[in-house]
Each structure stands twice: as C-alpha cells, then as structure tokens.
Amino acid sequence: MLGLYIRVLGLLKPNAALAWTLALANIALAAAQFAEPVLFGKVVDTLTRGDGRPDASRLATLLLLWLGFALFTILCGTLVALYADKLAHRRRQSVLAEYFEHVLTLPLSYHGATHSGRLLKVMLQGTDSLWGLWIGFFRDHLAGFVSFFVLLPLSLVMNWRLSLLLIALCAVFAGLTTFVMRKTEHLQSLVEDRYSELAERASDTLGNVALVHSFARIDAEVRGLRTVIDKLLAAQIPVLSWWAVVSVLTRASTTLTILAIIALGAWLNGQGLATIGEIVTFMSFATLLIDRLQGTVNFVNRVFMEAPRLREFFAVLDTVPAIRDKRGARALSHVRGRVEFRDVTFHYDDRRPAVEHLNFIAEPGEVVALVGPTGAGKSTALALLYRAFDPQHGAITVDGTDIRDVRIASLRGQIGVVFQEGLLFNRSIADNLRVGKPDATLDEMRQAATRAQALDFIERAPDGFEARVGERGRQLSGGERQRLSIARAILKNPPILILDEATSALDATTETLLMAALDEVMKGRTTFVIAHRLATVRRASRILVFEQGRIVETGTFDQLVNRGGTFAELARAQFLTPVLGTN
C-alpha cells in the first residue's frame, strides 16, 4: 500500500515546484507546532520557580516567542491550505482528462469486454480518491509524519522516562492498525467489486430503459439493484466495524497514557526527576500525539479504503493499447484509395479465426460488396481496414503502404464509416455532423443532409441544425439516425467509404432515394458495402461472398447468381432470382 501511496503523490510531478514548496512549508509548520507545548512548560516553570516572583524578562521573552510561533503557524497553515486546494483541484482535472484520453485510445476489443459504466465509475471515483489523498497529504498527513520524527526525539531529550509512555502509545496504535488492516484487506476489495457491479447494473438498466418499460421490468430491475446493494452492505459493514474498534481502542489508549503521565510525573517530581513544567509539556505532547494518532488512523483508514479504487484506476491507466502508432509512423496523405488485403488472418481469441487468409484488391473508385451470413467475418474484415484491430498474420495496404506504418489518426481520417447502428452524441445535429468535418459550414451541412435525404426532418425540428438528438439519438427515429450518420460520412468526403448495413434501418422508399444519392457519393472513391439485403448490392463492381471467415466466391451480382453457388442460394432465399430469370 505504501507503493500505491507513493504513486499517488508521483502524479503531482507536473507541478513539482509548488508541491515541494508546500511540503517544506508543512515540515516547518509541523516543527513550529511543538514550540507551543515546550514554551508552555517553560512558562509554568518560570512562574513556579523560586520565591513565587517570576523573572519578568524571561517571561516576556517566552510569551513573545509563543506569539511569534502562533502567528507563523496561522499564516503558514492558511497559505498551505489555500495552495494545496488549488494544486489538488488542478491536478485532479488534468488526471481526469488524461484518463479519459487514454480510455478512448484503447481498442474496441477492450471496450467490448469492459462495461462503460465501470469505466466511468473508475474514472470518477479514482480521481476523487486522488484529490482527497493530495489534500490530506498537504493539510495533515505530511505534518503528522513529521510530528512523530520531531516529537519522540524531542521528548527523549527532555525526559526519557516520560517519553517511554508516548513510545508505548505509538507501539499500541501501530499494532492495532496493522491487525485491522490484515483483517479487512480482502473485504475492502470485495466492497469495490460490489460498487463496480452496482455501477454496471444501474448503467445497463438506464441504457435500456425502453426495454425495461416495454417488458414491465421496473420492479424486477429495482429488486436486482437492491440485491447488489445488500451484497455491498454485507461486505462494507464488517470493514466499518473493525475500524470503529480501532478508533475506540486508540481513544482508550490515549486516555490511559495521559493518566499515566500525570501519575508518573507526580512521582518523578517528588524524586526531583521532573519539573512541573515538564509534566505540563508532556501532557501537551500527549494531547498533540493523540490528535496526530487520530489523524494517522484516519489517514491509514482512508488509504486502505481508497486502495481498491486506486488499483482499479491505475490498472486502466496502465493498460497498453494493442493498437497504437509504431515509432516513426508517418501521415497518410493524398490517398487514391487502392486497398489490398494480403493473406490476412485475425482471431479474437485462440479459437477459430474470425477471418482467415483474405486476399483481394479494391481499385480506386470501385464499389466492393461483402455479403454472407451473420458472423461470417464481413464487419471484422473492414474493422481491420481502419485498425480497430490488427491482423495476426498478413498485411493490409492503402496505395501500397502497410497501414501499420502510418499514424492511426491519419489513416482513419481517410476513411468514412457508416455503422449499422446510427451512433450519435447527445448534442446538436450540427455537432454530430461536424464529427467528420469540424470546420463545416452551415451550407455544407445542408448540402450533405440533402444528399442523405435528411434535410426534410432536420428543418421540421424547432431548432433545425441546433436541435439536440438526445442520448444515443433517441429523440430521432432509427431511419433518421441512420440518415444523419450517412450525412456525416458524406460531409467528411473521404477517399475510402465503408457502409456497414448503412440502409438497414430505412424504409423501402427512403432506401431507394438514399441509394440513388449514395451512387453519386460513391463515384470516385473506393467503397465497401456490407449488406444482408442483396438488392442493395446489385450495382456493386464486385461482390465478395464470406462464409466462416473466408471468401468463398467473388464476382458481379449476375455472375454469382448464374454460378448457382452460395450467393445464388442467398439470393433465392430473398426471392431475388426470379427477377433475374433464374431458377
């Protein structure tokens, strides 16, 4: 856990100068705080020494010193608190942005295996934990650590007999804390697992609220959430109970220590081995030590409680993207659009490959259709083109350049993708269209929307292009979402276009209009079309028929139907062969 805490502090490195200044100020502040009990004891000794007439000069000097240390402590403490807050807040926002950026760079395979609710929970709770530990370090923790290194040696110098009581108190506290940490370590990890489960369940339910309503599952989903909460409490309460025991025992130990100091001090004073001032000083030391021990209990408890969250946070942050720019990668520019797959094989795991030994070339301006049953490898093949994944064998080239030798951002900048599901942000229509071209003008957006058969419903909205589409575009119909996705790709105007079941959410009339528009858009650019409805690929330059990750047939629509193979069977199943006059 010490290594984890050191890493938390290491994240302050970008503001190292301010962090070191605050640390040194904390050390000075901790040392100054011990002046008060020492001076208090000296004042008492001055007042009780001799014939009852205190040395006025000595007393005045001690009081002035006391005042000076008090003013220094107030001023220094205020400045430390102010700048520590500023530093912690600044670093919290920076680390949150870095985490968010890092998560976005992780491959689709990672996001497919990790729930978005968990990632959001880890981001928010992790940065909250970092902020709390940074604030605690500069306000309390560092001063508390320094206190032990100053107080115990100082007390030994002043009166080693009384000092032994303080050392015994520290030993009892350390033993109790270590014992409870060992008892609750596993339970606290289980608590964080339950919190993650809670976040995933709530996010999953809210993300499918239409399903919940249509199947009348509100009560069932609430019961499911309550079950997770019960499991969370079952793990949390024993942890809280153990730390409550530590708090009670620490208070009892400190109370007994003060009583022991009074009793031992009285005896030592009678033997001439301790002055009244030293007894008063050690009582103040004990009070100060009690405060520091309570702070240390809270610190250890806090670090212990936050440790699972921080481990989750750093685990995500330490995940190395499988898909990343290689050293020396260059930009891909002036793309003509010649795409070649050379013996490409890819598998998601050690089982059967998703695609195997793919070999084909798409020339600039060609429309290449990929057809076949669900799970045949069509979407995976094109995901490899824009490097959602990298093949385990073979290579993919664009204009003769291996796509692994170019920067990912520049590669994807040359490719437009329209997915089967219309993916939209909960922002305005204009913001969603500008995803492909951030500097697009209103006229350009109107033109793209017109070509995608989307302008009509956009202009019907009260705010037009500034209308918000809702979470995941839920304010729009499925067809409207898809037309916006197509308009976004048109606006981007890439040399390579991928249409992954792009018209599946459209009615027959809109699909006919849109296909006519897409025919115009596809001119002069390399286009890949994935389709289950074979009527949409009649005019493709070439059709690749996929089966179990392999290309089993290739040719034009008419050629494949007349060949009587796999494609002909698919066409016959969709009642397309009679139209062509085949059996």
Side-chain angles (χ1 to χ4, degrees):
M1 194 154 57
L2 179 60
L4 185 67
Y5 188 62
I6 290 173
R7 183 169 185 185
V8 168
L9 298 181
L11 291 176
L12 297 172
K13 187 176 180 180
N15 298 95
L18 178 56
W20 276 109
T21 301
L22 290 170
L24 293 173
N26 261 280
I27 293 172
L29 186 62
Q33 288 175 339
F34 290 104
E36 182 173 343
V38 173
L39 290 171
F40 187 23
K42 297 293 185 184
V43 167
V44 170
D45 280 341
T46 301
L47 291 172
T48 58
R49 184 173 292 136
D51 56 359
R53 294 182 180 181
D55 184 337
S57 175
R58 176 180 171 82
L59 185 60
T61 300
L62 291 172
L63 292 176
L64 286 174
L65 284 172
W66 195 340
L67 177 62
F69 277 110
L71 292 175
F72 173 79
T73 301
I74 293 170
L75 179 62
C76 190
T78 302
L79 291 175
V80 165
L82 175 63
Y83 284 97
D85 276 6
K86 289 182 177 180
L87 174 59
H89 279 286
R90 188 180 301 125
R91 288 302 302 147
R92 176 194 191 186
Q93 306 309 328
S94 295
V95 172
L96 187 148
E98 290 165 9
Y99 173 97
F100 184 69
E101 180 182 11
H102 175 74
V103 166
L104 290 180
T105 66
L106 295 176
L108 294 179
S109 56
Y110 180 88
H111 288 279
T114 309
H115 198 285
S116 58
R118 176 183 287 265
L119 290 174
L120 182 62
K121 171 255 184 189
V122 170
M123 179 177 73
L124 297 177
Q125 289 191 346
T127 51
D128 280 349
S129 298
L130 291 170
W131 175 81
L133 291 177
W134 289 331
I135 286 289
F137 176 77
F138 289 118
R139 285 188 176 181
D140 302 306
H141 304 165
L142 182 57
F145 296 146
V146 172
S147 296
F148 291 115
F149 289 107
V150 174
L151 185 149
L152 295 179
L154 181 61
S155 65
L156 282 169
V157 170
M158 293 185 64
N159 193 308
W160 66 268
R161 297 174 181 84
L162 291 172
S163 179
L164 291 176
L165 292 174
L166 300 181
I167 295 173
L169 176 61
C170 290
V172 169
F173 159 76
L176 288 172
T177 304
T178 302
F179 174 75
V180 172
M181 284 175 59
R182 289 178 177 174
K183 282 286 186 182
T184 56
E185 184 173 7
H186 172 70
L187 287 173
Q188 187 58 35
S189 296
L190 186 59
V191 167
E192 287 311 309
D193 288 341
R194 297 306 184 199
Y195 271 120
S196 294
E197 186 181 348
L198 183 66
E200 288 182 12
R201 179 115 193 175
S203 175
D204 210 29
T205 302
L206 293 174
N208 292 283
V209 69
L211 177 66
V212 172
H213 284 186
S214 63
F215 280 82
R217 281 194 55 84
I218 293 177
D219 289 342
E221 291 301 318
V222 171
R223 283 197 304 272
L225 193 71
R226 290 186 186 278
T227 299
V228 177
I229 291 172
D230 289 341
K231 291 178 181 177
L232 170 62
L233 289 174
Q236 182 82 78
I237 290 175
V239 176
L240 299 177
S241 299
W242 275 110
W243 284 103
V245 169
V246 171
S247 180
V248 170
L249 293 178
T250 302
R251 288 177 181 274
S253 299
T254 51
T255 301
L256 292 174
T257 301
I258 290 178
L259 292 175
I261 286 174
I262 295 173
L264 179 60
W267 183 82
L268 291 174
N269 180 255
Q271 301 296 315
L273 298 174
T275 66
I276 295 176
E278 286 177 342
I279 297 172
V280 171
T281 296
F282 270 84
M283 289 179 64
S284 298
F285 276 175
T287 303
L288 191 58
L289 185 60
I290 291 168
D291 181 64
R292 292 305 184 203
L293 287 175
Q294 290 294 331
T296 304
V297 168
N298 293 334
F299 158 69
V300 173
N301 188 17
R302 177 92 186 242
V303 174
F304 186 74
M305 294 289 191
E306 304 293 0
R309 296 178 181 179
L310 292 170
R311 289 193 185 102
E312 273 193 307
F313 182 85
F314 287 127
V316 175
L317 212 56
D318 291 340
T319 302
V320 179
I323 309 300
R324 58 187 185 276
D325 290 334
K326 65 188 297 186
R327 182 173 296 180
R330 59 183 179 82
L332 184 66
S333 58
H334 307 296
V335 173
R336 293 174 56 249
R338 186 180 190 275
V339 176
E340 180 177 2
F341 278 61
R342 300 175 184 167
D343 198 27
V344 171
T345 297
F346 170 78
H347 48 78
Y348 293 101
D349 48 40
D350 294 330
R351 296 194 295 271
R352 181 178 62 83
V355 294
E356 189 172 11
H357 302 302
L358 299 184
N359 287 282
F360 66 87
I361 298 175
E363 298 292 348
E366 272 197 317
V367 178
V368 178
L370 285 70
V371 302
T374 300
K378 307 181 298 296
S379 295
T380 299
L382 296 186
L384 293 170
L385 175 57
Y386 57 86
R387 291 197 71 190
F389 316 99
D390 275 340
Q392 284 86 17
H393 184 267
I396 303 170
T397 66
V398 173
D399 293 348
T401 301
D402 192 322
I403 60 175
R404 288 171 292 197
D405 294 333
V406 299
R407 291 200 289 270
I408 296 172
S410 70
L411 170 68
R412 293 173 181 171
Q414 304 296 329
I415 301 174
V417 185
V418 180
F419 295 99
Q420 183 174 1
E421 179 187 359
L423 303 176
L424 300 175
F425 293 113
N426 184 18
R427 302 169 193 170
S428 69
I429 290 174
D431 287 337
N432 276 285
L433 292 177
R434 288 193 177 108
V435 167
K437 188 179 181 182
D439 59 348
T441 64
L442 181 59
D443 285 342
E444 289 173 325
M445 289 189 291
R446 288 179 62 85
Q447 199 172 56
T450 300
R451 297 175 72 181
Q453 308 296 316
L455 187 61
D456 182 50
F457 77 80
I458 292 175
E459 291 187 332
R460 284 201 308 267
D463 297 321
F465 281 88
E466 296 306 314
R468 295 183 72 89
V469 302
E471 185 180 1
R472 299 182 183 179
R474 286 176 180 162
Q475 298 287 353
L476 306 176
S477 69
E480 289 170 343
R481 289 197 296 270
Q482 198 66 337
R483 279 180 275 173
L484 280 186
S485 299
I486 293 169
R488 181 169 59 200
I490 293 172
L491 189 63
K492 184 177 180 180
N493 194 30
I496 300 172
L497 183 65
I498 296 174
L499 305 175
D500 189 349
E501 286 287 340
T503 61
S504 62
L506 305 179
D507 59 78
T509 303
T510 303
E511 182 182 35
T512 301
L513 294 171
L514 191 58
M515 288 306 298
L518 287 175
D519 284 344
E520 183 65 27
V521 173
M522 290 186 288
K523 288 180 180 178
R525 74 185 79 240
T526 306
T527 305
F528 296 93
V529 180
I530 297 176
H532 285 105
R533 289 192 292 191
L534 302 186
T536 62
V537 298
R538 284 182 181 274
R539 293 188 294 275
S541 308
R542 193 150 34 96
I543 298 173
L544 307 178
V545 183
F546 277 69
E547 195 171 81
Q548 295 185 354
R550 291 176 174 267
I551 298 174
V552 295
E553 292 180 348
T554 180
T556 65
F557 191 97
D558 292 347
Q559 288 172 344
L560 292 173
V561 168
N562 292 328
R563 192 174 297 167
T566 301
F567 184 83
E569 291 180 10
L570 292 173
R572 192 176 297 111
Q574 295 184 24
F575 306 104
L576 295 177
T577 50
V579 177
L580 294 172
T582 60
N583 295 324

